[in-house]
Amino acid sequence: MMILHRTMAMFLILLVILLSGCWDRREIELIGMVVGIALDKAESSSENEIIMTQQFVNTTKGGKEETVKAYNNITGQGKSIFQIIRETSNRTDKSPYFMHLKVIVISDKLASTLDLTDLTDLFLRDHEVRRTVQILFVPGNARKVLEMKSDKKGIPSIVLWGTTKNDYKTSEMPRLVTLGDLSENLTAKKSFLAQKLIPLREEVKLRGAAVISGKKKTCIGWLSADETSGINWILGTRHGSRGGIVKIVDENSRKELVYEIDYIRSKIVPVVKRDRLSFRVSIDSEGYLGENWTKESSFEQDFIHKVNQLTAKQIKHLVLKALNKTKDTYKVDVAGFAEQLKIHNYNTWKQYKDDWDEKFSETKVDVDVKVSTRGFGTRGSKVTKIE
């Protein structure tokens, strides 16, 4: 009898737990779902204040004939991110909720003057913010990025979030940088590239890159599309862009040819001789003849050899152009030379690690490029390998 009573008691307790439902449930109509944030520097303030724009998803339902905007932006100003967020709660019935935050856009004026570790400190501490939030940089006003025109149901932050993943289609932008990546690189004092937004009249596009100094922890400049492509060639498919094209011009006909990248294998070899440090960069790429505006046949071996030679020459030009900007002008290593020195010659790396950017700017870098055209689309597909 006692066993029966105990069994019944346990059953009732379990039943109460199951019937309790989602005790911490929050109705979506009552959540201030923030999907994008833009950070600008306050120009009019005498103090170093931040302008923060939060993009909320509009969860309000409209009538059958009523058009409801998919989002609304709220802008605030203050000395800290936390202050602005708390004050936002005084202006809306939906307190900001960051579990679904997708992108943070930072203006150049703010990124070049404030320590990025300080600027992102709250986001890294807040339990609602995921480390996979994507970080973007923009020359000019970041707030305008979250106001770009889209279709009736489009939310600018979501559009940006999707566009950042298209690095497999172009070599003119770096791989996306998340909040976690930003924190790890800056903690390690490692310089890197981040995606750059270019504001247009009614939209924005991703092209080029922001140069982030690991030592200064600020944005120190920009790379053009060609310069970004050059760094991606050094990084290779594994760490850089996963695709793209190279445009070349036939020297005889002056017509364009387009080489489509399949993969890039890059190798950086440090050379240490009598305390003199230099590097050899070997780049090996396979790809396809994507477009041929000349009258020459894609089946001819001489033609494909010429395509390979012209493509290799153009790639080398892009790489040297990128190194001239990053190594000689900005004096930073954003292509992983320090990591390879650490792997191949740890003692030398240990000697220079504290002032690596300065030392790297003094080194000589030799570049060798090899290109192999493996395919020709539906025209000339019988030829599978010509180098």
Side-chain angles (χ1 to χ4, degrees):
M1 196 67 171
M2 184 65 71
I3 296 175
L4 180 61
H5 286 314
R6 288 180 178 176
T7 304
M8 288 295 293
M10 291 178 65
F11 175 75
L12 290 172
I13 293 172
L14 181 61
L15 188 62
V16 170
I17 294 173
L18 293 174
L19 291 175
S20 64
C22 299
W23 61 271
D24 62 342
R25 182 182 64 183
R26 299 177 66 182
E27 297 294 342
I28 191 170
E29 292 84 359
L30 303 177
I31 296 176
M33 194 183 301
V34 180
V35 290
I37 288 175
L39 299 174
D40 290 290
K41 184 179 179 182
E43 297 290 345
S44 58
S45 175
S46 58
E47 298 184 28
N48 203 15
E49 290 195 349
I50 300 166
I51 296 176
M52 177 178 175
T53 301
Q54 300 171 79
Q55 187 156 87
F56 290 79
V57 175
N58 192 350
T59 55
T60 303
K61 294 181 180 179
K64 291 183 179 180
E65 298 180 358
E66 183 183 2
T67 302
V68 178
K69 193 175 181 180
Y71 67 93
N72 64 289
N73 297 340
I74 297 179
T75 300
Q77 181 172 327
K79 295 180 181 179
S80 69
I81 303 293
F82 207 175
Q83 174 193 349
I84 300 171
I85 292 173
R86 287 304 192 201
E87 290 180 355
T88 303
S89 299
N90 300 334
R91 302 168 57 190
T92 175
D93 60 335
K94 299 176 182 179
S95 180
Y97 180 67
F98 299 103
M99 188 63 74
H100 300 282
L101 182 63
K102 299 296 185 184
V103 295
I104 298 174
V105 183
I106 307 175
S107 72
D108 58 335
K109 291 183 179 179
L110 192 64
S112 61
T113 55
L114 282 186
D115 187 318
L116 290 172
T117 54
D118 294 336
L119 190 62
T120 57
D121 183 72
L122 177 132
F123 302 118
L124 289 163
R125 294 177 185 276
D126 196 310
H127 68 281
E128 289 183 356
V129 180
R130 303 172 189 269
R131 293 178 68 87
T132 54
V133 173
Q134 295 166 16
I135 307 295
L136 304 169
F137 294 85
V138 59
N141 195 317
R143 177 183 176 180
K144 290 183 179 179
V145 173
L146 299 189
E147 298 172 349
M148 68 176 184
K149 292 186 178 180
S150 184
D151 56 72
K152 293 181 180 179
K153 297 183 180 179
I155 301 175
S157 295
I158 303 299
V159 174
L160 285 176
W161 176 69
T163 308
T164 60
K165 301 177 182 179
N166 289 337
D167 57 352
Y168 71 98
K169 287 291 187 180
T170 176
S171 63
E172 295 182 343
M173 68 181 189
R175 283 206 180 176
L176 61 88
V177 173
T178 65
L179 182 63
D181 296 332
L182 182 80
S183 176
E184 291 176 14
N185 288 332
L186 294 180
T187 301
K189 297 182 179 180
K190 176 184 176 183
S191 300
F192 59 98
L193 299 183
Q195 292 182 345
K196 170 190 174 184
L197 288 168
I198 300 178
L200 302 176
R201 180 172 296 180
E202 295 185 353
E203 60 180 355
V204 295
K205 67 177 179 179
L206 285 159
R207 198 162 187 255
V211 182
I212 311 300
S213 169
K215 187 174 182 179
K216 297 179 180 178
K217 302 186 188 304
T218 58
C219 175
I220 60 173
W222 309 98
L223 295 189
S224 67
D226 283 349
E227 292 161 350
T228 303
S229 181
I231 296 298
N232 277 324
W233 280 101
I234 300 175
L235 291 170
T237 303
R238 185 177 178 184
H239 300 290
S241 173
R242 296 169 291 170
I245 62 172
V246 179
K247 294 180 289 184
I248 54 177
V249 178
D250 177 47
E251 295 173 344
N252 297 324
S253 64
R254 307 306 300 171
K255 298 289 185 178
E256 272 203 351
L257 298 160
V258 179
Y259 172 82
E260 182 184 4
I261 303 166
D262 183 34
Y263 82 87
I264 304 167
R265 184 185 295 113
S266 178
K267 186 177 182 181
I268 298 174
V269 179
V271 179
V272 182
K273 292 183 178 179
R274 298 180 182 178
D275 297 330
R276 295 187 65 181
L277 175 63
S278 62
F279 290 93
R280 289 199 304 267
V281 178
S282 300
I283 298 171
D284 184 8
S285 175
E286 289 187 7
Y288 309 96
L289 181 60
E291 199 168 3
N292 178 10
W293 284 75
T294 71
K295 301 299 182 181
E296 298 185 59
S297 172
S298 300
F299 290 99
E300 297 296 330
Q301 234 179 9
D302 289 343
F303 173 72
I304 295 303
H305 178 72
K306 179 172 68 173
V307 170
N308 292 341
Q309 293 295 105
L310 289 173
T311 305
K313 181 180 178 181
Q314 177 63 10
I315 293 168
K316 185 174 181 178
H317 167 73
L318 293 173
V319 171
L320 293 177
K321 185 177 181 179
L323 287 173
N324 178 65
K325 191 65 165 291
T326 56
K327 183 176 77 71
D328 302 331
T329 303
Y330 292 141
K331 301 185 186 301
V332 291
D333 170 18
V334 294
F337 286 87
E339 287 87 343
Q340 294 305 313
L341 179 61
K342 183 179 180 180
I343 292 170
H344 292 91
N345 196 318
Y346 181 79
N347 290 333
T348 303
W349 171 82
K350 190 175 180 180
Q351 179 183 352
Y352 297 128
K353 67 174 184 176
D354 293 332
D355 298 303
W356 172 244
D357 285 337
E358 289 77 6
K359 180 62 182 178
F360 176 64
S361 66
E362 301 171 357
T363 61
K364 180 183 178 183
V365 179
D366 294 316
V367 180
D368 179 65
V369 182
K370 180 182 178 182
V371 172
S372 300
T373 305
R374 303 296 188 188
F376 311 90
T378 57
R379 301 184 66 183
S381 57
K382 292 181 180 180
V383 183
T384 58
K385 181 177 179 181
I386 299 178
E387 298 183 3

